[in-house]
């Protein structure tokens, strides 16, 4: 897929990956020269207390703890 795509988008995904740097390098390689990559994520803080008034705060924390961290740490991933 080298230099195959004009545009690549990742929605709420990169932080869940076991090896995000490898994926980002793959995306870079897959983009045509001048191609665009958009990485979109949920607007939340890394510090739980800062999310206490976030309308989805409790759900985000639960999903992060029970899913995102588990998936991201498999096979020695960084657990972003």
């Amino acid at each position: 897929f080298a230099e195959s795509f004009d545009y690549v988008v990742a929605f709420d995904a990169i932080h869940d990956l076991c090896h995000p740097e490898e994926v980002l390098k793959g995306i870079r390689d897959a983009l045509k020269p001048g191609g665009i990559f958009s990485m979109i994520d949920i607007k939340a803080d890394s510090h739980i207390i800062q999310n206490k008034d976030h309308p989805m705060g409790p759900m985000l924390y639960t999903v992060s703890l029970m899913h995102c961290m588990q998936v991201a740490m498999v096979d020695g991933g960084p657990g972003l």
Side-chain angles (χ1 to χ4, degrees), residues 3 11 55 74 78:
E3 297 185 357
F11 179 76
V74 168

Side-chain angles (χ1 to χ4, degrees), residues 20-71:
E21 285 186 43
E22 291 177 25
V23 172
L24 291 170
K25 288 176 185 174
I27 291 169
R28 180 190 62 210
D29 293 343
L31 285 170
K32 291 179 181 177
I36 297 170
F37 171 53
S38 295
M39 187 167 80
I40 303 160
D41 216 323
I42 294 170
K43 185 177 181 181
D45 200 283
S46 296
H47 303 284
I48 189 170
I49 194 68
Q50 300 300 338
N51 296 316
K52 66 181 177 70
D53 295 325
H54 193 294
M56 293 175 45
M59 192 270 310
L60 291 173
Y61 183 72
T62 302
V63 170
S64 179
L65 184 62
M66 302 305 252
H67 172 73
C68 300
M69 289 293 291
Q70 307 300 315
V71 171

